[in-house]
Amino acid sequence: QQPVQSPQAVILREGEDAVINCSSSKALYSVHWYRQKHGEAPIFLMILLKGGEQKGHDKISASFNEKKQQSSLYLTASQLSYSGTYFCGTEMRGAQKLVFGQGTRLTINP
Amino acid sequence: DVKVTQSSRYLVKRTGEKVFLECVQDMDHENMFWYRQDPGLGLRLIYFSYDVKMKEKGDIPEGYSVSREKKERFSLILESASTNQTSMYLCASSLTPLAGLPYEQYFGPGTRLTVT
């Protein structure tokens, strides 16, 4: 069963913040985040492994609440280059495969 | 840099044709994956392979088969293409998790298949 991402789409002005949520009904081992620009391949952003783990680079960070089976991606002071569709991929222990959410389309306007 | 290449960016086939989609990766990855991407449905796993000649069904394997004769190459086969298989197909590869630590997947550019 696919994880549920919310919101499905969001439009921001440059410099604003965004939060994208990913929620699963199954116990998770890890959560992966990817960004895909139109017409391009998805690009890896980060993996969160442990419950409560937070990671980030530049102004993009994420958290993973293992108990709630939820992850959130935070984009701070968004830039035009952040536009694209964001996918979370969830992994159960030992599965070696990801189940992706339906995606969240982020549009950043000047 | 890891490179995952797919044989075609665009493909048009007729209903009932046998279709082969090829994927090659150049980083000696053990794991390879085939996804289809449809609007509003995200990426859905069709099949994956964790070793040569090994394959596992993903979430939507019906109507598809795969072949992995060499480590670097993973083929997706539509035995008899149907219009509901019109979609974007993405291939990906990754290393095998080490000590429980998963690795990221590297994606190819995709093949947009249209079945008429």
Side-chain angles (χ1 to χ4, degrees), chain B:
Chain B
D1 275 353
V2 175
K3 202 166 186 179
V4 180
T5 57
Q6 296 184 226
S7 50
S8 306
R9 288 301 303 267
Y10 300 93
L11 208 53
V12 180
K13 295 291 181 181
R14 292 195 180 275
T15 302
E17 278 193 86
K18 191 169 186 176
V19 181
F20 293 87
L21 302 182
E22 304 286 336
C23 175
V24 177
Q25 50 94 4
D26 66 358
M27 283 299 291
D28 206 34
H29 285 175
E30 294 88 2
N31 299 334
M32 296 188 74
F33 308 85
W34 274 107
Y35 297 90
R36 65 176 282 176
Q37 183 174 18
D38 301 288
L41 297 178
L43 301 163
R44 293 181 293 165
L45 183 64
I46 304 171
Y47 268 96
F48 68 103
S49 167
Y50 51 87
D51 201 352
V52 175
K53 296 193 185 294
M54 306 299 287
K55 60 185 179 184
E56 293 278 346
K57 291 181 180 179
D59 301 313
I60 52 165
E62 297 78 18
Y64 304 94
S65 62
V66 290
S67 172
R68 193 167 180 201
E69 296 296 321
K70 293 185 177 182
K71 191 175 185 179
E72 67 271 18
R73 189 180 296 270
F74 192 33
S75 302
L76 180 69
I77 303 155
L78 288 67
E79 294 288 343
S80 179
S82 63
T83 55
N84 62 13
Q85 292 178 309
T86 291
S87 186
M88 171 68 83
Y89 290 88
L90 289 165
C91 174
S93 71
S94 75
L95 290 168
T96 292
L98 186 64
L101 296 178
Y103 286 94
E104 65 267 36
Q105 294 186 14
Y106 293 85
F107 284 84
T111 295
R112 183 163 295 281
L113 173 67
T114 303
V115 183
T116 61

Side-chain angles (χ1 to χ4, degrees), chain A residues 6-91:
Chain A
S6 62
Q8 291 188 357
V10 59
I11 301 173
L12 299 174
R13 289 199 178 276
E14 200 173 5
E16 292 182 333
D17 301 339
V19 180
I20 299 172
N21 300 302
C22 176
S23 181
S24 174
S25 60
K26 296 181 182 283
L28 300 178
Y29 179 68
S30 69
V31 179
H32 302 218
W33 285 96
Y34 290 79
R35 176 173 64 211
Q36 182 180 34
K37 293 187 176 291
H38 184 69
E40 297 180 10
I43 299 296
F44 169 76
L45 293 176
M46 64 188 79
I47 296 173
L48 298 110
L49 187 59
K50 299 177 182 177
E53 184 181 32
Q54 293 197 37
K55 272 192 174 181
H57 56 83
D58 197 10
K59 295 176 180 175
I60 299 176
S61 62
S63 64
F64 175 28
N65 187 319
E66 189 180 1
K67 289 182 180 178
K68 291 187 176 181
Q69 295 150 203
Q70 292 176 348
S71 178
S72 295
L73 186 71
Y74 308 94
L75 299 102
T76 306
S78 56
Q79 305 168 15
L80 294 176
S81 61
Y82 289 179
S83 291
T85 300
Y86 290 78
F87 294 98
C88 67
T90 57
E91 179 189 15

